[in-house]
Amino acid sequence: MSLDDIFLFLQNGIDRFIRWLRIGAPPPRGRRHLLIVQIDGLARSVLEQGLAERRMPFLRRLLARGAYRLTPMSVGLPSSTPAFQMAAMYGVRPDIPGFHYHDKRRRSDVYFPRAGDAAFVEREQAGGRLGIVHGGSTYGCVFTGGATNNLFSFAVFRRPTGRGLITALSAFVVLWWVAVKGVVLTAIELTRALLRFIADPVAESARGWKFLAIKIGISVWLRQLFTLAASRDLYAGAPAIYVNYLDYDVLAHAYGPRHPRAMRALRRIDRSLRQLWTVMRRVPEHDYDLYVLSDHGQAACIPYVTLAKGAGFERRLFEDVLEPAGAHEVDPAQPQGRRLVRGIKAYRSNRETGIWQRFVNYLEHDFPWVLGELKEARERGALRVVSAGPNAFIYFLDVDAPLTLEEIDKRAPGLAEELSRTRGVGFALARSAAGPVCIWRGKRYRVADGEAGPFAGREDLDVVLAGVADLMGMRCAGDFVLYGLGTPEGNVSYVAEHGAHAGTSPEELHTFIVHSVKVTMPSAITHPIELYPHFVAYQEVA
C-alpha cells in the first residue's frame, strides 16, 4: 500500500465519521456511478502512438485484457474544449465558435479564462437542462456540468464551490498530503534541473524556465490535487466525477503535439489514471463506470509571428488586406498614446531589424496599451478581428446579425477571394443564402452542395462538411472565419503556439472514448452531443 493509499484510507475514515454525525447519508445502493477522465487535447493517433511506445502502460493493459475497448469519436467544429464540454455535459448544439470570439449582441468578446465569461455561456446555453455531473464534482473543466463541487473550472474559477465548511474540513487530510507531496516533488524537480544545468549548462538553458514552470505547476501540483480530490470523491461515493487532466494539452500547445516533452506527460497521466482505478476497485459497492476520453486533438503548427517575423496577424490583416480593400472607414482621429511612439514609425512598420525591433514587437504583442493600440490592434472602424488559435474571426460591427457573403460582396467586392490568398491563411468560411461557403485559393466552394474544396480526398469528408455547417450556423461565428491550416508554409496558428486546435485537420477532429465492454456505446461517435443521452442516464436513474 502506497502513502497515497494510506492517506486516502484515513480520509475515508473521517468521511464515515462525518456521516455518523448525521451531516451526510451514505450513498444510495442500486444505482451506478459515473467517473469521466478527460485527457485534454489528445488525438486518437497520438494516443495510439503513446500506447505502442508503452508511454501509457496501465491504459494499455486495461485495453489488452479485453474488459475495456476504445471507440472512435469525432468532436465536430470547433474542435475545442468549451464546445465539446457544452455538448457532452448538456446535450445542446453549442454557439461557441472558438476559445475566444466576439458576441455582436453583447458588443463584447468572450474569452474563457476571463472571469465570468464561462459562467455566462453556461447559464445562457445550458438552458436549465440537467447536467451529467449534477450533484458530483468537476476538476479542471470549462463548465460545471451541474456539479456541486467545482475546482479550477472556468465557470467558477474565482469562487470554487463545495458542500460547506465541515465537509471542507473533512478534506483536510487529503489537502495536507497534496501540499506535502507537492513540495517534495517540486524540490525534486528543481534539484534535477540544477544538476542538469551543472552537467550541461548550454542544453539546460535551451530547455528554458517555461518547461520547468509548466511541469511543476500542471504536472505536479494540479495533477496531484485533482487525483487525490477525485480519489476522495470515489471513496465518498459521489454520484458523478469529471476530472480533466491538462498536462498533455498545455505541453502540446507549447512544444507541439508529438514533442517528447508532451509525450512524456502521458506517462504521468497514466499513473494518475491507475490510482483512480485502484480506488474505484476498492469501493465496489459504489458501482462506478470508468470512461477515459479526449475532447479534441492538436495539429502541429508554426506561430504566425514566426512566419511574419514578429508582426501580429490582426495588424497585418488590417494593413495588408482590409484597409486596402476599403472594407471599412478608418477613424482619422489620432489614437490615445500615439505621442509615446512618435519617431519609431520605421520600427513599427517592421522595416528595421535587431534587438530594438524585437522589443517594439514585444510591446505590441503583450503591452499594446503602451503604444496606444489596445483597441486599434483588433478593431478599426466597423471591423473587429479576433485571433483564437489556428482560427480567426472577422466581424462587421455595424449590424448585430451575421452577414451573408452576398451582403459582404456589396460592401467589399473581391474581399473574400483576397482573404483566401493572404499569406498565413489556408481557407476562409462564410455564410450564404444557400448555406456555408468555403473560399480556397480564390475560388468559392458551396459546402451545402457537397463541394469539397480543400477537403477533397478526405475519408471523413462527411464529418468535415457537417462540422463546417455546424460552425457557420453559430450566431457568434465571425462573418468570415479564417483558418491557418494547409497553407503553403504548413499549418499556422494566429496565437503563439506550436500545437493548435479548433480546426478541421484529422489530428484535431478525431479522438476516442475508452469504456467498459459492459456498457453499450455507438460504434462510432460523430459529435459529442451523442454522449449526453448515455451520461445523463446515470442521473435519470437516480
Side-chain angles (χ1 to χ4, degrees), residues 153-227:
S153 296
F154 287 167
V156 289
F157 193 79
R158 290 189 177 181
R159 48 181 182 83
T161 58
R163 294 188 180 90
L165 179 60
I166 296 181
T167 305
L169 290 175
S170 77
F172 174 77
V173 172
V174 165
L175 296 177
W176 179 82
W177 176 237
V178 168
V180 172
K181 191 174 182 181
V183 169
V184 172
L185 292 176
T186 299
I188 292 173
E189 291 296 336
L190 292 175
T191 302
R192 286 176 176 173
L194 178 61
L195 293 175
R196 287 194 301 264
F197 180 79
I198 293 173
D200 190 352
V202 175
E204 187 61 22
S205 297
R207 287 165 63 95
W209 64 268
K210 183 179 180 180
F211 169 68
L212 184 61
I214 291 174
K215 188 175 181 181
I216 291 174
I218 302 295
S219 287
V220 173
W221 285 93
L222 273 187
R223 184 174 57 83
Q224 292 293 333
L225 179 60
F226 289 176
T227 302

Side-chain angles (χ1 to χ4, degrees), residues 52-126:
E53 295 175 354
R54 300 181 183 275
R55 295 182 183 273
M56 305 189 76
F58 173 74
L59 186 59
R60 178 187 171 96
R61 288 197 304 271
L62 208 61
L63 292 168
R65 289 171 181 169
Y68 281 76
R69 69 164 59 103
L70 187 151
T71 294
M73 177 166 60
S74 300
V75 298
L77 288 181
S79 45
S80 67
T81 306
F84 177 90
Q85 290 187 354
M86 176 58 68
M89 286 180 169
Y90 292 104
V92 296
R93 294 274 178 179
D95 182 12
I96 305 175
F99 204 76
H100 183 187
Y101 60 91
H102 185 75
D103 188 332
K104 285 187 179 184
R105 291 183 187 174
R106 296 178 66 204
R107 301 185 184 278
S108 65
D109 283 8
V110 173
Y111 182 48
F112 281 100
R114 187 168 57 192
D117 283 7
F120 168 80
V121 172
E122 183 171 29
R123 185 172 60 252
E124 290 292 310
Q125 298 194 27

